[in-house]
Amino acid sequence: MMRQYELVERVLSYDPEADEALLNRAYVYAMKAHKHQERANGDPYFSHPLEVAAIVTNLKLDDATVAAALLHDVIEDTDATRTEIDQLFGKEIGALVDGLTKIKRLDLVSKKAEQAENFRKLLVAISSDIRVLLVKLADRLHNMRTIEHKREASRKRTCQETLDIYAPLAGRMGMQAMRDELEDHAFRWLNPEAYETVTTKLEQLRAKNKRLVEEIRLALEVKLDDVGIESKVTGREKKSYSVWRKMQNKQVSLEKLSDIYGFRVTVNSVEDCYRVLGVIHTTWRQVPGRFKDYISTPKGNAYQSIHTTVLGPQSQRIELQIRTQQMHDIAEYGVAAHAIYKDAGSDNMDAERFDQDSGPYMWLRQLVETLLEGANSEEFLEHTKLELFQDQVFCFTPNGRLIALPRGATSVDFAYAVHTDIGNAAQGAYINGRQMPMDTRLRNGDEVRIVTAKTATPPAAWESVAVTGRARGAIRRAVRDKLRQQYSELGRRLVQSEFKKYGHDYSDDLVKEALPRMAAGSKSPDDVLASVARNEIQAVEVVKAALPGKDLVEPVQAYKPKSRYGRGRSQEGWFNLSKVMGLKFRFSAAGDSAQAAGASSIPLRGLRDDIPVKFADSGVVPGDRIVGVLTKEKGIRIFHIHSPELMAFEHEKWIDVTWDVDAANAERFPARIEVTALNAPGSLADIAQTIGETDGNIDQVQMVARKPDFTRMRIEVEVWDLDHLNHILNGLKAKGVVNSAERVFD
Ligand code: MN
């Protein structure tokens, strides 16, 4: 295990101004915090953060990052808290450690390969400071180096995740060496046979080609020396995983791949790069189409080099990369390499480019911006800036699918993003295991479980809760469809009843056949039926169109229906009011209850306010004699038979309806009562108490007249049914202070 002073010295070696005391404090703190913990191989746990810090020093990162590396597991794994870290080490380090803790918590969620891209974005979004990602990669690298001590299942998972998420992330940050090592570790455990085969082959080929490679290398060096270019030529080691991947992707054999000899020429200046290129191209024959100048046009991840392929002394293919040492370091260490060239810009390494006053590690942020603005940015974070991710939140389904949503999105958006059917059937949401309102705004990393019900329809109000177009559109559509369906269903009942009246059986087909005889614009039977419900067409018109040439004789009403509140009697027919206002009613479309209610009974359905059945404002309660009126755009409105509002409609428009309420109905209905009481102290309280004791809900109280000796008030109460309402009225009348108590409808 590295000693404390060794770590400090390593940091001081590349950053003499590093805060020694800070590093010492972080070292001691982390060591104490992890004191009683062990790693899978029995080592003290502290060896892990220490090794991670060591990797971070190889990347020559600043003291704050090294401290964060030492502390990266303390919040999640020990008693330490963010507040404590902030107090002891400052907010900057606190934020870094906090970022690492958040990522660590995400590791608990399973990630599917197809979600890897989103997951990488999530990492970037959560990190907000690129140093968090650098420590995370160092953390993962050390874990991969020591993964043989892990249990098989978790090892496989970690390796797959490394391959899917962390290695590509390292690649995108330009850290080729990090990427290679991560990949080779993962490859070794995920596919041991292939790893063994490729590694063995590569070693054999290396041994076999050793002399040839050395010959070419020398020839190159001599050539360059002749023209006075100082250079270093190295053979390029092939990495087992990248060889394997090429074999898989390009369907080529390992032998074929190994036919190619790779060399890297490192020189001192950009000018020398081009001079080397000139020498090589005039010495050996160039393979057409293989020349790429990533110096004048850097890759998105700031990678710079000249690539070319020539046919060598014995006509072997020789792949060459020509670059400066600085370009090489950037190619190997990516964003981290910029620590070495702290004050350098990225394209022409122009020292003036970066603002010296903007903080020592401003280069990191600026680098990211430079990387992202690169002409060829497709390989880097999908054209997207770090900040752009701030516009998104990334959440998980319970089985680990990652859902990307715009910031401000709610569980409603989430449900629709998973699937439109899920959104339409959504009833509620659990966020991180806790039930939360559907309008809760989601945060990065939230796990959201949507509770669904087959019969659910999204409430229209959800449209304003959703922020995604997808959810809004789907809600609007679902509400509209439901409404249309309710109207056509209502119309069907009305038309069915009308058919019965004339002694004929109804069928949808008859309406369909009648379409050409109906008013223009009716495209389907449902359209026609909905028009009936909206009172645009009379039900009798449909009957006439459906039964052309038939002599329609209006029959005598023959049924006397029974129902629980079967006191309502009509001349024209009977209707069962069913499932009105989203309430539970017994549905009597068929079977016994339909029989009992009369053959022409019309069960009316409806939900909430946007439905074709609506109660009058003065209220109706089960047991009341009620009358329906078919109104345009409002479907059927239900009035008490004594309601003055009802008198506004011609008697011909009245439809008799009757209650058929489920005994288990748990909904209350509004009614309006008027109470006249003495102006005695506490009389209002007395009235309220009486209503409360008899299980009534007072919704509203309004004083209508106040005399010296008495007060008249109107009270909106919510009751179960007419019996209940009468019980309340009787209770009130029995009170000494109450003069009168009666139901009113105006
Ligand atoms: Mn760790």
Side-chain angles (χ1 to χ4, degrees):
M1 206 156 73
M2 197 181 357
R3 303 288 181 80
Q4 190 171 342
Y5 73 88
E6 287 176 272
L7 180 74
V8 174
E9 275 176 8
R10 284 174 79 151
V11 180
L12 289 174
S13 72
Y14 62 82
D15 183 7
E17 276 155 42
D19 185 344
E20 237 177 289
L22 168 74
L23 294 169
N24 284 323
R25 275 205 318 273
Y27 185 103
V28 172
Y29 183 89
M31 186 172 64
K32 283 188 179 159
H34 292 295
K35 191 164 62 187
H36 300 297
Q37 294 168 335
E38 284 187 353
R39 302 208 83 211
N41 62 358
D43 280 354
Y45 190 91
F46 180 59
S47 65
H48 165 68
L50 190 55
E51 284 302 325
V52 174
I55 294 168
V56 166
T57 62
N58 287 340
L59 300 172
K60 297 187 168 58
L61 293 172
D62 66 329
D63 46 14
T65 315
V66 177
L70 287 167
L71 300 168
H72 80 271
D73 277 334
V74 295
I75 292 183
E76 189 67 1
D77 293 348
T78 77
D79 296 335
T81 61
R82 166 81 195 267
T83 318
E84 199 177 40
I85 302 293
D86 279 354
Q87 279 165 1
L88 291 172
F89 301 98
K91 281 208 162 25
E92 182 191 4
I93 291 173
L96 292 174
V97 177
D98 189 54
L100 287 153
T101 306
K102 283 185 189 151
I103 294 181
K104 184 164 180 147
R105 287 179 184 154
L106 284 179
D107 282 346
L108 302 172
V109 187
S110 78
K111 293 135 225 153
K112 302 240 163 70
E114 66 266 26
Q115 296 291 324
E117 184 52 48
N118 270 339
F119 193 81
R120 279 194 292 273
K121 284 187 193 166
L122 171 60
L123 286 181
V124 174
I126 290 194
S127 304
S128 71
D129 186 324
I130 203 155
R131 290 176 294 177
V132 171
L133 288 179
L134 293 170
V135 177
K136 181 64 203 177
L137 287 171
D139 176 40
R140 179 49 61 108
L141 183 60
H142 184 244
N143 284 333
M144 290 303 290
R145 283 176 182 170
T146 54
I147 197 142
E148 77 251 40
H149 305 293
K150 283 285 194 108
R151 299 238 303 274
E152 169 90 12
S154 88
R155 185 166 61 213
K156 279 249 151 85
R157 200 171 54 236
T158 305
C159 286
Q160 193 61 52
E161 185 185 277
T162 300
L163 220 46
D164 290 340
I165 309 224
Y166 292 101
L169 183 66
R172 281 166 192 228
M173 290 167 72
M175 307 168 79
Q176 197 51 46
M178 173 77 80
R179 178 185 186 159
D180 287 341
E181 191 179 341
L182 287 172
E183 280 178 348
D184 277 6
H185 286 302
F187 180 38
R188 180 177 165 200
W189 295 104
L190 285 176
N191 197 341
E193 281 174 36
Y195 176 83
E196 195 57 39
T197 312
V198 174
T199 312
T200 313
K201 277 270 171 129
L202 284 178
E203 265 163 32
Q204 289 168 356
L205 285 163
R206 205 172 294 139
K208 195 182 114 195
N209 291 332
K210 209 175 161 193
R211 272 190 52 206
L212 183 59
V213 167
E214 192 55 23
E215 263 173 45
I216 298 171
R217 201 185 66 79
L218 273 173
L220 265 169
E221 257 180 7
V222 169
K223 271 279 168 202
L224 295 175
D225 205 38
D226 284 351
V227 292
I229 302 172
E230 198 183 316
S231 70
K232 195 171 79 190
V233 179
T234 49
R236 258 162 57 216
E237 291 282 301
K238 289 204 162 58
K239 302 291 180 216
S240 48
Y241 182 70
S242 68
V243 167
W244 172 251
R245 193 174 41 203
K246 275 185 196 144
M247 287 167 63
Q248 302 298 103
N249 291 348
K250 299 187 179 165
Q251 297 290 319
V252 284
S253 69
L254 204 150
E255 277 72 17
K256 190 107 194 284
L257 279 172
S258 328
D259 257 3
I260 303 164
Y261 299 84
F263 291 89
R264 180 172 300 132
V265 184
T266 315
V267 292
N268 293 325
S269 69
V270 174
E271 197 194 334
D272 280 353
C273 291
Y274 290 100
R275 288 174 68 199
V276 169
L277 182 70
V279 170
I280 287 168
H281 279 180
T282 49
T283 307
W284 293 298
R285 195 149 62 81
Q286 193 186 340
V287 176
R290 302 283 301 170
F291 169 71
K292 289 200 181 77
D293 180 1
Y294 293 122
I295 291 179
S296 60
T297 314
K299 280 191 181 183
N301 57 7
Y303 175 88
Q304 288 187 300
S305 261
I306 289 171
H307 290 188
T308 190
T309 304
V310 294
L311 296 176
Q314 292 160 39
S315 288
Q316 335 76 337
R317 279 160 81 100
I318 301 175
E319 269 181 10
L320 289 141
Q321 295 175 345
I322 307 161
R323 50 172 74 157
T324 65
Q325 184 61 43
Q326 185 173 344
M327 290 175 195
H328 177 66
D329 288 338
I330 289 167
E332 292 293 294
Y333 302 114
V335 293
H338 281 256
I340 310 166
Y341 306 99
K342 252 186 214 177
D343 301 324
S346 81
D347 44 23
N348 288 314
M349 305 304 165
D350 175 1
E352 304 305 310
R353 261 199 81 213
F354 283 168
D355 182 4
Q356 299 291 307
D357 299 332
S358 47
Y361 284 84
M362 191 61 188
W363 58 269
L364 273 174
R365 216 172 317 144
Q366 298 198 336
L367 170 70
V368 171
E369 283 171 16
T370 316
L371 290 178
L372 294 167
E373 280 159 11
N376 178 12
S377 56
E378 61 186 5
E379 289 183 21
F380 194 82
L381 299 173
E382 287 198 332
H383 312 274
T384 320
K385 291 189 177 194
L386 276 177
E387 306 88 75
L388 277 188
F389 294 128
Q390 306 298 328
D391 296 342
Q392 281 179 290
V393 283
F394 300 88
C395 305
F396 296 96
T397 66
N399 54 21
R401 190 176 150 202
L402 199 81
I403 305 289
L405 294 164
R407 189 156 291 273
T410 61
S411 296
V412 173
D413 294 297
F414 183 92
Y416 279 100
V418 172
H419 198 282
T420 305
D421 291 348
I422 302 282
N424 283 340
Q427 287 269 281
Y430 284 79
I431 300 174
N432 302 321
R434 196 183 301 168
Q435 187 159 21
M436 300 292 275
M438 284 300 280
D439 63 355
T440 308
R441 288 178 169 219
L442 299 174
R443 291 172 310 178
N444 267 324
D446 278 348
E447 189 199 283
V448 186
R449 182 163 68 83
I450 300 294
V451 184
T452 58
K454 268 185 191 148
T455 54
T457 310
W462 278 8
E463 199 189 320
S464 62
V465 164
V467 302
T468 53
R470 177 177 178 160
R472 285 162 168 266
I475 293 164
R476 223 173 296 140
R477 239 179 349 266
V479 169
R480 205 176 48 217
D481 287 353
K482 186 79 186 174
L483 194 57
R484 188 187 296 143
Q485 185 203 326
Q486 285 167 348
Y487 268 105
S488 65
E489 192 61 23
L490 170 59
R492 181 173 287 108
R493 301 300 174 196
L494 291 166
V495 173
Q496 266 174 359
S497 162
E498 200 71 9
F499 267 78
K500 282 269 159 30
K501 239 163 83 176
Y502 291 100
H504 288 277
D505 283 335
Y506 169 89
S507 79
D508 281 358
D509 287 342
L510 279 173
V511 178
K512 199 171 181 181
E513 287 162 24
L515 278 179
R517 295 185 287 274
M518 301 294 300
S522 301
K523 289 177 238 55
S524 69
D526 278 349
D527 282 344
V528 172
L529 297 171
S531 298
V532 172
R534 281 194 291 263
N535 204 23
E536 291 159 3
I537 307 176
Q538 300 287 301
V540 66
E541 289 176 48
V542 182
V543 178
K544 283 176 182 162
L547 303 168
K550 290 248 163 80
D551 205 9
L552 298 173
V553 182
E554 197 157 345
V556 181
Q557 181 66 37
Y559 300 100
K560 187 183 166 104
K562 289 183 199 118
S563 72
R564 186 172 157 210
Y565 296 105
R567 275 170 285 183
R569 173 88 176 82
S570 93
Q571 278 113 32
E572 293 131 51
W574 290 88
F575 303 87
N576 289 322
L577 194 61
S578 178
K579 211 177 177 193
V580 176
M581 305 283 282
L583 312 173
K584 269 173 86 182
F585 285 73
R586 193 183 313 128
F587 182 63
S588 53
D592 294 346
S593 79
Q595 215 55 41
S600 62
S601 81
I602 298 178
L604 303 178
R605 297 201 227 187
L607 283 166
R608 303 187 185 92
D609 286 338
D610 47 9
I611 45 94
V613 177
K614 208 167 157 46
F615 287 133
D617 295 336
S618 55
V620 286
V621 303
D624 280 344
R625 278 201 61 186
I626 46 178
V627 174
V629 174
L630 202 52
T631 62
K632 212 160 192 166
E633 297 307 333
K634 276 191 174 169
I636 287 186
R637 290 199 70 194
I638 306 295
F639 298 96
H640 190 279
I641 196 154
H642 294 145
S643 165
E645 284 177 274
L646 183 61
M647 302 308 158
F649 298 95
E650 301 156 39
H651 199 267
E652 290 75 56
K653 287 192 172 168
W654 291 16
I655 303 166
D656 236 354
V657 288
T658 190
W659 295 97
D660 191 10
V661 186
D662 195 319
N665 169 53
E667 296 292 330
R668 287 170 180 267
F669 293 79
R672 195 175 285 169
I673 60 175
E674 203 167 272
V675 180
T676 308
L678 292 173
N679 279 343
S683 62
L684 182 59
D686 222 13
I687 290 163
Q689 194 190 347
T690 306
I691 295 174
E693 279 169 356
T694 44
D695 192 28
N697 279 350
I698 298 178
D699 196 42
Q700 214 188 323
V701 179
Q702 191 197 354
M703 302 299 166
V704 284
R706 203 178 174 95
K707 301 274 166 69
D709 48 350
F710 70 89
T711 297
R712 197 158 73 232
M713 66 194 88
R714 285 185 162 210
I715 304 173
E716 307 270 353
V717 286
E718 289 174 340
V719 299
W720 303 112
D721 56 20
L722 188 57
D723 286 347
H724 184 205
L725 179 62
N726 287 333
H727 182 57
I728 292 170
L729 288 170
N730 290 336
L732 287 169
K733 285 174 192 160
K735 284 281 155 188
V737 294
V738 174
N739 260 3
S740 69
E742 57 194 23
R743 179 102 179 264
V744 289
F745 298 101
D746 52 352

